[in-house]
Amino acid sequence: MASNGSVPGCPKPMKATSDGVFQGENPLEHALPLAIVQIVLVVVLTRLLGLMLKPLRQPRVIAEIIGGILLGPSALGRNTHYLNMIFPAKSITVLDTLANLGLLFFLFLVGLELDLKSLRSVGKQALGIAIAGITLPFVIGIGVSFVLRDTILQGAKTAPLLVFMGVALSITAFPVLARILAELKLLTTDVGRMAMSAAAVNDIAAWILLALAIALSGSGHSPLTSLWVLLSGCGFITLCVLIIPPTFKWMARRCSEGEPVNEMYVCATLATVLAAGFCTDAIGIHALFGAFVVGILMPKDGPFAGALVEKVEDLVSGLFLPLYFVSSGLKTDVATIRGAQSWGLLVLVIATACVGKIAGTVGVSLIFKVPLLDAVTLGFLMNTKGLVELIVLNIGKDRKVLNDQAFAICVLMAIFTTFVTTPVVVAIYKPAKLAIRGDYKHRTIERKNPNTELRIVTCFHSYSNIPTMINVIEASRGTEKRQGLCVYALHLMELSERPSAILMVHKARKNGLPFWNKLQQSETNQVVVAFEAFRQLSHVVIRPMTSISALHNMHEDICSSAERKRAAMIILPFHKHQRLDGSLETTRTEFRWVNKRVLEHAPCSVGILVDRGLGGGAHVAASNVSSNITVLFFGGRDDQEAVAYGARMAEHPGISLTVIQFKPSTELVGEIVRVDIDDDSGSSSEASDRSFLSQIKRTTDESSIRFENRTVNSRTAIIEAVKEFSSCNLFLVGRMPESPVAGVLNVKIECPELGPAGNLLTSHDFVTAASVLVVQHYHSPHSLVHSKGKDDSETETGTETE
């Protein structure tokens, strides 16, 4: 008889930690170091697979499922030495516990993504598509379950098998679908909106059906057991509905915007998630249901939900959640699918899953008069599987409803249906490219008729960009005699793989509402409040919008938004911000590449704003505006556009403008003539500059604009001349001056997107507190000289909500 009470034949329990290799112990025979090795291996492999699949635009869940299968008995696990060393049988309980704990909190985050309020406004189309997308696959899944029971699942319980297969074939993975739509820039199209709404309804229905399946698959012999499980589950949900919303709304009200959330509230929330998981596990449903219910009932508005997501998501989704895919991969043995019968069943399951979902969705969509191509696209989008699918299959396997062969077949079905979604949708759904509107004539600030409406798209990454942007808008509004200024404030938000990205999508979708509706819905929306206050104090029509996209194609959203709104200028924030000592510090290098791509593809003029606190970092009322603006004019179309914008600003009663025209000295002229003796473009450029400046002088008020000429012979002379005006509030410069005088500035250019003058004003050698706006005149694609070899084609409509 064993003295330690262990059962003969069972593996010896693992100690938590080892005494170290110098004490003669193998760390891989102890729970903690082995778990660390497993986590690191899983994270590294799944991230590498994610990078490999990124060119195919596949969601990360595909890489994680495939990574789990590769680590299991289907691939690397065929080596028994590796399997017994890295994933021994005695470590599976620890691995499953960690995986399910991570899954518990991840499903809490998934619940936070689903807003029940938005389901109330689901239209008849989306509701009909959701019902059809569940019903037909569920019925077909029941038919497939009979085939499986007669072949590879002989002896399985009929009722649980029917429900499990029905749920497995009818699920739509809401988080995965949202990321696919965002990646394909379809979130704000009619197809994207319908798919998101239908998937949200589908997700809720799938969890209800899964609860039913778990209740039916219990080991109790009496049918009353399943009934008690269902009734207890309903009682638990009712109790949560009565307690959780008022409690956490009270916590949310006590969390102020911009202040850290009380740690006690965060701990109370996490403890509530664990307690809810314990209750549903005790009932016999599954611990995951409790966490999901708490997430759904949590308040979505305010800083409280955002703080919870920030504290939970990286650790859970980055480290612990991939363990669940490995846990599933260890149960998946593709080698069990052998023989004509098994492969035939795999084809049958995949075919029925696709046919049921696609046919049901397409049929109902056509009834609602959705175009055929849109209906087929919806069908493939609704066929997306994901984590919930794996949860269903794992529970079915744990409850002995599915065996190894059926489990492997269903896992491969989930991979296939999700993998083909993106390439099929890209192939069949081609949104109409943005047509060049006939009334889109004013692509620059400079125009023949200055009384026409001026449209500007101002972009910002964070709330810190807003005060200066508003002050630039205030300076740009001109006089009341003109048709006015219309500004589209575009909030640039990066889409990531983090769960909070989908919560971000929900918030952004509300931005299309009018100001008064938005203020009623969210009193803490700083963007809306700031722009609404400015709109009421000025005569500017201002519309906030949101762009959600990955950084590598964010420029497409910006350019397509400007094209759609017929903007004359896009204003972008510089990728550096001012530190307390006055120097410029890089915020994120990726934003620099966004700006460079916008400069190459913009359908109008572009301005890059180097923010040094114009107006003191706060909105300045129109009556208090007192600003001095300086334009450095060397020559060329970009400099002319800068002067035209400055002249528009000078119409504001509180703004004075100084235009400094730089001319070469006699010595410098001689050097230029010797170098460019055969170049006659300079004379035509000078004639254009003279004509432009004389036109500006004739049409503007002399009291608000002052012109000065400076003759220079070197870079040092230019710097000294500019330093005389370093106390101004804003510098306006052209990005690529075409005058030979500017050539002496091209000594060291750190940021090519700012041009020589912009680099001078932002260099460490030049001390000023003035903000800088670098302007590029619109170049039509056929005349674009600066970007030879670049792709100047029109871009498709981006993921932008208004």
Side-chain angles (χ1 to χ4, degrees):
M1 185 174 179
S3 59
N4 61 356
S6 61
V7 180
C10 293
K12 184 180 179 181
M14 301 178 73
K15 287 174 57 180
T17 58
S18 71
D19 294 329
V21 292
F22 296 108
Q23 301 293 332
E25 291 192 351
N26 182 0
L28 295 181
E29 293 180 355
H30 298 77
L32 180 61
L34 181 59
I36 292 173
V37 171
Q38 291 171 343
I39 292 173
V40 171
L41 178 63
V42 169
V43 170
V44 170
L45 179 62
T46 53
R47 293 291 177 170
L48 286 176
L49 287 172
L51 291 174
M52 293 169 61
L53 293 173
K54 194 171 184 180
L56 300 177
R57 305 171 82 173
Q58 293 296 324
R60 198 171 75 187
V61 67
I62 290 291
E64 290 171 332
I65 295 175
I66 294 176
I69 293 175
L70 291 178
L71 292 172
S74 300
L76 296 176
R78 300 182 73 82
N79 185 329
T80 55
H81 178 69
Y82 149 81
L83 197 62
N84 292 330
M85 181 175 65
I86 304 298
F87 296 103
K90 57 186 176 182
S91 74
I92 298 303
T93 301
V94 176
L95 180 66
D96 283 348
T97 301
L98 287 173
N100 280 281
L101 189 63
L103 186 63
L104 192 78
F105 285 107
F106 183 79
L107 287 176
F108 165 68
L109 297 178
V110 173
L112 272 175
E113 292 177 357
L114 286 170
D115 189 357
L116 292 179
K117 293 179 182 178
S118 64
L119 297 183
R120 298 175 188 171
S121 59
V122 171
K124 293 180 180 179
Q125 282 186 334
L127 186 61
I129 290 170
I131 294 173
I134 297 172
T135 306
L136 187 57
F138 192 89
V139 172
I140 293 179
I142 291 175
V144 171
S145 64
F146 283 110
V147 177
L148 295 177
R149 192 190 61 175
D150 294 338
T151 52
I152 61 175
L153 289 176
Q154 295 178 2
K157 294 181 181 180
T158 303
L161 178 60
L162 298 181
V163 181
F164 267 107
M165 288 305 300
V167 173
L169 267 64
S170 60
I171 280 177
T172 296
F174 173 77
V176 179
L177 174 63
R179 283 178 177 82
I180 290 175
L181 289 170
E183 176 68 25
L184 300 180
K185 296 192 176 297
L186 299 177
L187 267 175
T188 56
T189 62
D190 292 337
V191 169
R193 291 190 185 98
M194 216 174 302
M196 284 280 284
S197 300
V201 176
N202 190 296
D203 223 24
I204 299 294
W207 281 100
I208 296 172
L209 292 172
L210 181 56
L212 174 64
I214 294 173
L216 292 174
S217 63
S219 58
H221 297 289
S222 172
L224 289 177
T225 303
S226 298
L227 180 61
W228 279 115
V229 170
L230 287 174
L231 291 177
S232 300
C234 293
F236 168 78
I237 293 174
T238 303
L239 196 63
C240 287
V241 170
L242 295 175
I243 295 176
I244 290 179
T247 303
F248 287 98
K249 282 181 180 177
W250 176 82
M251 291 184 185
R253 283 196 299 268
R254 296 174 67 88
C255 298
S256 302
E257 189 80 39
E259 295 183 4
V261 174
N262 193 320
E263 183 186 3
M264 185 68 70
Y265 298 158
V266 177
C267 292
T269 304
L270 301 182
T272 302
V273 173
L274 293 172
F278 173 81
C279 292
T280 51
D281 187 79
I283 289 171
I285 303 177
H286 200 287
L288 306 178
F289 279 93
F292 183 70
V293 169
V294 172
I296 283 183
L297 296 177
M298 286 285 295
K300 308 295 191 291
D301 296 328
F304 186 51
L308 288 173
V309 170
E310 287 179 4
K311 293 178 182 295
V312 175
E313 68 174 341
D314 287 334
L315 181 65
V316 169
S317 62
L319 288 181
F320 292 117
L321 187 62
L323 292 180
Y324 189 79
F325 295 98
V326 172
S327 177
S328 301
L330 293 173
K331 301 173 188 175
T332 306
D333 189 358
V334 179
T336 58
I337 307 175
R338 54 180 177 268
Q341 184 189 66
S342 294
W343 287 104
L345 289 174
L346 174 62
V347 173
L348 174 68
V349 171
I350 292 175
T352 50
C354 295
V355 169
K357 202 73 171 175
I358 296 170
T361 303
V362 171
V364 174
S365 299
L366 293 177
I367 292 174
F368 283 108
K369 298 181 179 179
V370 176
L372 179 61
L373 197 60
D374 290 11
V376 175
T377 303
L378 270 174
F380 277 96
L381 289 171
M382 295 297 291
N383 201 31
T384 303
K385 311 295 181 187
L387 179 62
V388 181
E389 174 84 4
L390 274 190
I391 295 172
V392 172
L393 299 178
N394 274 281
I395 294 175
K397 192 172 188 305
D398 293 339
R399 296 296 178 100
K400 310 298 182 186
V401 177
L402 302 175
N403 60 15
D404 292 345
Q405 192 173 354
F407 182 80
I409 287 173
C410 292
V411 169
L412 292 181
M413 177 270 293
I415 294 175
F416 177 82
T417 53
T418 306
F419 190 91
V420 301
T421 299
T422 299
V424 169
V425 171
V426 169
I428 67 174
Y429 188 67
K430 305 287 186 183
K433 288 192 175 183
L434 195 64
I436 299 177
R437 298 176 58 168
D439 57 348
Y440 190 8
K441 300 175 182 177
H442 303 300
R443 297 175 181 264
T444 61
I445 304 291
E446 178 192 358
R447 57 191 64 179
K448 292 181 179 179
N449 183 7
N451 293 322
T452 52
E453 182 185 49
L454 176 62
R455 292 170 173 248
I456 297 177
V457 173
T458 60
C459 305
F460 59 95
H461 303 127
S462 63
Y463 299 142
S464 61
N465 302 136
I466 294 177
T468 296
M469 282 292 182
I470 289 181
N471 289 330
V472 170
I473 295 169
E474 168 64 35
S476 306
R477 66 188 180 93
T479 63
E480 297 181 9
K481 296 179 181 178
R482 295 190 175 182
Q483 288 191 15
L485 174 67
C486 182
V487 176
Y488 298 92
L490 185 60
H491 190 182
L492 304 177
M493 303 176 76
E494 180 188 4
L495 181 77
S496 67
E497 289 284 354
R498 304 172 75 180
S500 60
I502 307 306
L503 197 62
M504 179 179 71
V505 168
H506 283 306
K507 293 178 180 179
R509 286 166 69 93
K510 297 177 182 179
N511 282 5
L513 298 172
F515 274 118
W516 47 90
N517 288 344
K518 281 187 287 187
L519 287 173
Q520 290 174 1
Q521 289 196 8
S522 176
E523 296 177 357
T524 60
N525 191 327
Q526 296 181 19
V527 178
V528 173
V529 170
F531 286 125
E532 169 62 6
F534 176 71
R535 186 190 67 83
Q536 292 182 352
L537 292 172
S538 65
H539 297 276
V540 176
V541 177
I542 187 162
R543 299 282 297 276
M545 305 186 301
T546 304
S547 165
I548 305 171
S549 58
L551 286 172
H552 69 271
N553 57 14
M554 185 175 284
H555 68 283
E556 296 178 7
D557 286 4
I558 298 171
C559 294
S560 61
S561 297
E563 184 87 32
R564 201 161 33 247
K565 303 306 179 185
R566 294 175 296 140
M569 175 170 281
I570 300 169
I571 299 180
L572 302 166
F574 191 44
H575 70 279
K576 295 183 180 182
H577 71 276
Q578 188 177 31
R579 299 172 59 182
L580 294 176
D581 60 0
S583 62
L584 294 173
E585 181 181 45
T586 300
T587 306
R588 285 186 64 181
T589 309
E590 296 91 338
F591 290 138
R592 177 183 181 183
W593 303 112
V594 173
N595 290 352
K596 293 181 76 171
R597 294 187 187 105
V598 172
L599 288 169
E600 294 169 5
H601 300 281
C604 59
S605 294
V606 181
I608 297 180
L609 179 63
V610 182
D611 183 8
R612 288 197 176 108
L614 180 64
H619 172 218
V620 180
S623 57
N624 297 329
V625 171
S626 179
S627 299
N628 295 316
I629 298 176
T630 302
V631 181
L632 306 183
F633 185 85
F634 295 93
R637 299 299 300 277
D638 290 355
D639 283 30
Q640 291 177 15
E641 184 74 349
V643 172
Y645 195 9
R648 170 85 185 200
M649 292 181 171
E651 295 175 3
H652 195 290
I655 292 177
S656 61
L657 177 71
T658 302
V659 179
I660 309 173
Q661 185 179 7
F662 291 93
K663 295 182 178 182
S665 64
T666 308
E667 312 91 85
L668 191 58
V669 169
E671 293 179 12
I672 294 170
V673 169
R674 285 194 296 272
V675 173
D676 300 325
I677 192 168
D678 296 325
D679 187 7
D680 60 350
S681 61
S683 58
S684 61
S685 176
E686 290 176 11
S688 173
D689 293 338
R690 286 196 299 270
S691 173
F692 171 78
L693 290 177
S694 53
Q695 176 69 21
I696 289 289
K697 292 175 182 178
R698 284 197 306 268
T699 57
T700 55
D701 185 3
E702 295 182 0
S703 61
S704 59
I705 302 181
R706 182 162 55 99
F707 291 87
E708 291 195 13
N709 294 325
R710 295 299 171 95
T711 303
V712 293
N713 57 7
S714 64
R715 185 174 188 271
T716 305
I718 295 175
I719 294 175
E720 292 301 322
V722 176
K723 281 183 177 179
E724 297 179 24
F725 300 88
S726 60
S727 60
C728 70
N729 303 101
L730 176 67
F731 278 106
L732 281 171
V733 296
R735 177 174 174 253
M736 298 298 292
E738 298 172 17
S739 167
V741 183
V744 299
L745 291 176
N746 292 323
V747 178
K748 181 183 177 183
I749 296 183
E750 181 184 354
C751 300
E753 66 272 22
L754 296 185
N759 274 271
L760 168 64
L761 296 172
T762 56
S763 65
H764 298 290
D765 303 331
F766 192 86
V767 180
T768 181
S771 298
V772 181
L773 183 62
V774 180
V775 177
Q776 174 180 278
H777 189 280
Y778 166 67
H779 298 277
S780 59
H782 64 272
S783 64
L784 193 59
V785 177
H786 300 97
S787 304
K788 285 185 179 179
K790 305 289 184 181
D791 177 18
D792 298 305
S793 59
E794 297 289 345
T795 56
E796 294 185 2
T797 302
T799 307
E800 168 259 320
T801 62
E802 178 204 349

